[in-house]
């Protein structure tokens, strides 16, 4: 079993000066913590893997393709591989668990 604490993962991510920390990588998936502060732009580009976002905390809008939705604590969003997507209008610091399948390159 592998178990993690979000507060420890967020501290490790911040200590490494990055918005993203991959903390689990297995044969068929990888999982990471993505963090964007309020007002910060989202620099990501489309990925070659399917992904699922689970919003742990914060509030923002998320556009996937041509659709936009508001996300907050407890939101779960599926993003197909290759689909353009961005968080924007981040009004509260955002912390998101990201599951990639297959694992992110």
């Amino acid at each position: 079993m592998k178990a993690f604490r979000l507060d420890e993962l967020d501290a490790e991510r911040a200590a490494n000066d990055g918005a993203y920390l991959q903390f689990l990588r297995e044969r068929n998936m990888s999982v990471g913590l993505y963090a964007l502060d309020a007002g910060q732009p989202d620099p990501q580009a489309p990925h070659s893997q399917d992904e699922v976002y689970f919003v742990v905390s914060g509030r923002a809008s998320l556009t996937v393709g041509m659709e936009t939705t508001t996300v907050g604590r407890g939101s779960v969003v599926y993003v197909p591989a290759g689909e353009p997507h961005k968080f924007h209008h981040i009004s509260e610091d955002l912390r998101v668990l990201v599951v990639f399948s297959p694992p992110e390159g």
Side-chain angles (χ1 to χ4, degrees):
M1 177 173 70
K2 296 177 183 177
F4 306 91
R5 290 183 43 100
L6 285 173
D7 57 342
E8 293 171 355
L9 294 171
D10 199 33
E12 182 180 348
R13 179 205 54 77
N16 289 309
D17 295 325
Y20 184 73
L21 171 71
Q22 180 178 280
F23 62 88
L24 179 66
R25 184 177 181 86
E26 297 295 335
R27 186 172 57 103
N28 294 316
M29 63 176 251
S30 62
V31 184
L33 178 63
Y34 190 45
L36 294 168
D37 292 336
Q40 182 178 359
D42 181 2
Q44 66 179 320
H47 308 285
S48 57
Q49 306 86 356
D50 287 336
E51 62 186 310
V52 173
Y53 288 128
F54 173 71
V55 179
V56 175
S57 63
R59 189 159 188 79
S61 293
L62 173 62
T63 298
V64 178
M66 300 300 291
E67 296 181 74
T68 299
T69 189
T70 300
V71 296
R73 183 175 177 227
S75 296
V76 179
V77 179
Y78 166 70
V79 179
E83 190 75 27
H85 57 285
K86 296 264 186 207
F87 290 99
H88 52 95
H89 296 96
I90 301 169
S91 58
E92 298 174 17
D93 292 353
L94 197 59
R95 300 298 181 265
V96 181
L97 286 178
V98 184
V99 179
F100 287 101
S101 180
E104 184 184 32

